[in-house]
Amino acid sequence: MAAQERMSSVDALWFHMEEPANLMMITAVLWFEGRLDFERLKRVVRERLVERYPRFRQRAVAGLVGLPQWEDVPELDLDAHLSRLDVPPPGDRAVLESLVGQWMSTPLERSRPLWQFHVMSAADGRDVLLARLHHCLADGMALARVLLALTEGAEAEAASEAPEPASRTSTGGLAGWVRGARAVAGTARAVWRKGAELAAEPILAGDLLVKGARGAAAMGKLLVIPPDPRTSLRGPLGTQKRAAWSDPVPLERVKALGQALGGTVNDVLLAAVTGALRRYLESLGEPPEDLHALVPVNLRPLDEPVPRELGNHFGVVFLRLPVHLGTPTRRLQELARRMERLKRSPEAVLTFGALELLGYTPAALERWVVDTFGSKASLIATNVPGPRAAVSLAGSQLEGLTFWVPQTGHLGLGLSLFSYAGQVTVGVAADAGRVPDPHALIQGFHEELDALADERD
């Protein structure tokens, strides 16, 4: 009989949450300057992923009682997890985005380890790597770092020296959460002193750890947040998804806007997202009311180049986007104020503890609680820092990347911001019925950056 290991409660939560209209997959798209050496890529994936992390050679199976189990597969068939995809003509970005949307709508095969890579060759001589990984493997921040550890470069080489983590059973429960929160407190403030350009998705966990009555008040506040306004962004979901990503934006431009207008890099980027949402709603004739974004908050050390173990270690906060304000500068200023207040809130640590405990409850209760939280927001927004210097993979330099986490809680829209080699890319993943044309939001994002530049001048 194959060796088995109990799945942690918080990982089990994401395993149970999957349904046809809301697949619990983290999706990443990496595009390169040329063709990938496929055989070399296979060796790298085997050595740096499959052999290093047990989860990539285990499948999820039902336990006799309680939580699901991780079970070793007898022999991993790498060809079933890493394959080439035919790209129909004309093979341009629109075709690639359509393929990504189709695969976002396709569940992973549960009889195998829950991950799959596809190499797509564009007509212009460039390759695109599509990665699909189940949320029960790890959170988005961890998986982004794992993918980047496949690459060659100064930062990637340091990451590749990390030893394989020992496979262990999570202690789970409130005691494990408290120990994790204490560990986070010591690391996040050290990272803050290092001055990370982009905070971790996008709020540093060290600023979230407070005690006593403030913690209780914050959880009470979460429970009484009213549902978001009924806009076209919210409603029943289908099984078809749409994906799109922007041309990269120079990070120096974003920094300059923040310095001139009184905001951080995060403030400027999220203000541009807020303005894009306002433009989109107005184009549909809908009132531009404030919307909540559900923002994942990394609870791992930022100075660890690659995670030593997988699993989910994140909380969430509700960021109210000032969509109702009429000018870009006012939106930026108000967003900066709201972000500063969130940095002093314990919401992320509290929600992590709640999610971990929720994983022990019946699936129906899990789904009800997650859906209740989802009703209080209109989108998921992530913001992740990548390598500052260019890296390469299998003989080709990485030109850019973006990724999306699942739209948990029956949300129909996910927006991602990813910085890499001095540039920022915005990606949109949406339910086809909620946002039929995700490019409208990307166009609005670029227009908002231009409008902020005009107000600065």
Side-chain angles (χ1 to χ4, degrees):
M1 180 177 177
Q4 290 189 341
E5 173 191 350
R6 189 187 68 175
M7 190 179 292
S8 75
S9 63
V10 70
D11 296 343
L13 172 67
W14 302 116
F15 182 74
H16 290 150
M17 282 298 98
E18 180 151 294
E19 55 188 68
N22 212 352
L23 300 178
M24 291 293 104
M25 285 190 305
I26 293 168
T27 305
V29 177
L30 302 84
W31 53 95
F32 297 85
E33 291 188 350
R35 297 291 190 215
L36 294 168
D37 182 331
F38 192 73
E39 291 304 314
R40 183 174 170 184
L41 177 63
K42 288 179 67 174
R43 290 196 300 272
V44 169
V45 169
R46 182 178 295 278
E47 293 170 2
R48 298 191 183 182
L49 198 70
V50 175
E51 295 179 359
R52 181 170 298 156
Y53 292 100
R55 293 290 178 262
F56 283 85
R57 52 183 189 268
Q58 295 173 324
R59 59 191 169 203
V61 297
L64 294 178
V65 292
L67 300 172
Q69 306 282 322
W70 291 112
E71 179 182 83
D72 293 338
V73 296
E75 185 174 350
L76 182 76
D77 180 8
L78 189 56
D79 291 333
H81 294 271
L82 174 58
S83 62
R84 292 185 181 274
L85 280 182
D86 292 329
V87 179
D92 56 8
R93 186 195 290 185
V95 173
L96 293 171
E97 289 174 338
S98 177
L99 282 174
V100 172
Q102 291 175 30
W103 282 101
M104 274 184 174
S105 313
T106 305
L108 292 160
E109 174 54 59
R110 290 212 170 184
S111 66
R112 298 195 289 259
L114 295 171
W115 63 277
Q116 195 166 31
F117 292 171
H118 311 274
V119 176
M120 305 183 294
S121 296
D124 60 3
R126 303 180 183 189
D127 274 353
V128 175
L129 178 65
L130 167 63
R132 301 188 302 133
L133 309 106
H134 202 283
H135 205 327
C136 69
L137 294 176
D139 53 77
M141 174 65 85
L143 290 174
R145 294 187 194 181
V146 166
L147 290 177
L148 288 167
L150 300 176
T151 64
E152 294 91 29
E155 296 176 31
E157 288 302 320
S160 68
E161 297 175 1
E164 176 174 343
S167 181
R168 63 179 180 83
T169 301
S170 169
T171 55
L174 184 59
W177 165 62
V178 171
R179 286 193 295 274
R182 287 172 179 167
V184 167
T187 58
R189 293 195 182 280
V191 174
W192 176 262
R193 288 194 294 270
K194 291 183 179 181
E197 289 182 353
L198 289 173
E201 299 186 56
I203 302 166
L204 285 172
D207 292 322
L208 299 165
L209 297 175
V210 298
K211 300 178 181 179
R214 287 183 64 193
M219 183 55 76
K221 173 188 168 186
L222 290 179
L223 295 175
V224 299
I225 293 175
D228 256 13
R230 298 293 297 184
T231 68
S232 59
L233 300 178
R234 295 173 48 79
L237 304 182
T239 58
Q240 295 303 309
K241 308 302 176 186
R242 297 282 188 268
W245 54 90
S246 72
D247 292 329
V249 175
L251 190 58
E252 284 300 323
R253 183 191 182 201
V254 181
K255 286 183 182 178
L257 288 174
Q259 291 167 358
L261 298 173
T264 66
V265 167
N266 280 319
D267 295 337
V268 173
L269 292 172
L270 290 172
V273 166
T274 302
L277 291 167
R278 179 184 174 91
R279 290 171 183 264
Y280 184 74
L281 293 175
E282 287 182 326
S283 73
L284 299 176
E286 299 182 20
E289 300 179 69
D290 283 5
L291 305 174
H292 281 92
L294 196 60
V295 183
V297 180
N298 177 50
L299 296 179
R300 296 175 184 269
L302 278 179
D303 51 357
E304 184 179 85
V306 67
R308 293 180 177 272
E309 61 183 40
L310 298 182
N312 286 273
H313 299 280
F314 74 101
V316 294
V317 296
F318 289 85
L319 174 61
R320 189 161 64 93
L321 302 175
V323 178
H324 78 283
L325 294 176
T327 64
T329 301
R330 289 184 63 199
R331 287 194 290 272
L332 173 61
Q333 293 170 345
E334 177 60 20
L335 185 65
R337 187 184 69 82
R338 294 179 184 181
M339 286 287 292
E340 190 61 31
R341 187 168 64 242
L342 268 182
K343 289 177 183 179
R344 294 181 172 84
S345 163
E347 284 182 21
V349 172
L350 290 169
T351 56
F352 173 70
L355 291 173
E356 189 166 31
L357 294 175
L358 191 60
Y360 289 104
T361 64
L365 178 59
E366 292 175 349
R367 193 174 305 279
W368 179 82
V369 173
V370 172
D371 287 349
T372 299
F373 269 64
S375 73
K376 302 174 185 294
S378 296
L379 67 148
I380 292 180
T382 60
N383 188 352
V384 179
R388 299 185 185 186
V391 296
S392 60
L393 175 62
S396 185
Q397 183 166 304
L398 179 64
E399 189 174 24
L401 69 161
T402 191
F403 86 104
W404 302 275
V405 298
Q407 282 82 69
T408 311
H410 290 101
L411 297 177
L413 175 62
L415 292 172
S416 66
L417 297 159
F418 200 100
S419 70
Y420 164 68
Q423 298 180 320
V424 180
T425 300
V426 58
V428 180
D431 181 87
R434 299 295 101 218
V435 183
D437 180 15
H439 284 282
L441 286 168
I442 290 175
Q443 180 181 343
F445 177 84
H446 286 293
E447 290 172 347
E448 280 298 305
L449 289 179
D450 291 341
L452 283 168
D454 290 342
E455 294 198 7
R456 175 195 61 182
D457 298 335

